[in-house]
Amino acid sequence: MRVRIKLFAQLRDRAATGDVACELPAVDAATVADVWDALIVMHPALTPFQSSVSSAVNAEYAKRQTRVHDGDEVAFLPPVSGG
Amino acid sequence: MPLFAITPAVLSVDGLAAEVAALASRAGEGCGAVTTFAGLVRAHHQGRRVRYLEYEAYEPLALKAFAQIQAEASEAWAGAVLGMHHRTGRLEIGEASIVIAAASAHRAEAFAVCRYAIERVKQIVPVWKHEYFDGGEAWVEGAIADPSDAHAREQAKARACASA
């Protein structure tokens, strides 16, 4: 299955792209954590963010164990600094 | 004017204040108080002279986070109406990056809701600040966004109540 990954702020800068297409093995129970693991294989420079990153699936906040499906948009968010 | 917005346009605190006041006046006891907050780009940060900032947002999620903050505020302070606009793109020193307006029947709730809102924005709204200063640039890292973190929510409420 295929998901679209969106990266923001320093994650996007480190990966040098804000949009990554990600192919995952066609398993039934792929999660946000699986997407992250696939992402850091493609972009090892993102590894240090592992403990501080938040995630969203289809523009809803998600957890690492949240299930993902074919065609989903998975976003990874570094610590926020709005206001 | 929408109550929640992510926009590259210059923000208007007056327009948002009028909007929340109009909505609050139609409910319950009516509107007796409006409080506003504007966050401005400061010239100095951590000993550095700031030249300008660039803000980036994940807009669809940011709008949902604003809605969550409004729902939390309504739960704690019934009848309060809240509006929040955050700007994106390049901002010069002194420009407003965020405006918040809270309307309520009475002043204590209006002050508390406004303070609560800015504390929660800093915790859970997916917006990022890129600082350009003399001699360099850096992304500012704040809170790890977790909208279900009850401790963070309690902390925001404690600050809101302390200020009211």
Side-chain angles (χ1 to χ4, degrees), chain B residues 56-67:
Chain B
E56 171 181 335
Y58 184 21
E59 183 170 345
L61 184 59
L63 294 174
K64 288 174 191 167
F66 282 155

Side-chain angles (χ1 to χ4, degrees), chain B residues 51-72:
Chain B
R51 292 165 53 220
Y52 62 92
L53 298 180
E54 274 178 9
Y55 280 92
E56 171 181 335
Y58 184 21
E59 183 170 345
L61 184 59
L63 294 174
K64 288 174 191 167
F66 282 155
Q68 175 177 334
I69 294 169
Q70 156 79 303
E72 290 172 0

Side-chain angles (χ1 to χ4, degrees), chain A residues 10 12-13 54 59 61 73 81, chain B residues 56 58 64 124 139-140 145:
Chain A
Q10 52 280 54
R12 191 200 48 238
D13 281 3
S54 298
Y61 271 115
E73 177 179 286
S81 52
Chain B
E56 171 181 335
Y58 184 21
K64 288 174 191 167
I124 66 165
W139 286 99
V140 179

Side-chain angles (χ1 to χ4, degrees), chain A residues 1 5 9 16 21 23 25 47 63 69 74:
Chain A
M1 70 176 202
I5 301 175
E23 200 74 48
T47 309
K63 298 192 178 298
H69 302 95
V74 181

Side-chain angles (χ1 to χ4, degrees), chain B residues 6-9 41 52-57 86-92 95-97 127-130 132:
Chain B
I6 297 291
T7 173
V41 178
Y52 62 92
L53 298 180
E54 274 178 9
Y55 280 92
E56 171 181 335
H86 204 299
R87 196 167 158 196
T88 52
R90 176 172 167 151
L91 275 76
E92 307 301 329
E95 289 194 293
S97 54
V127 173
W128 299 273
K129 185 188 303 194
H130 197 174
Y132 292 82

Side-chain angles (χ1 to χ4, degrees), chain B residues 112 115-116 119 123 154-164:
Chain B
R115 179 71 194 268
Y116 182 78
E119 297 299 329
Q123 290 173 345
E154 282 311 309
Q155 204 171 43
K157 202 170 167 189
R159 285 180 183 160
C161 292
S163 73

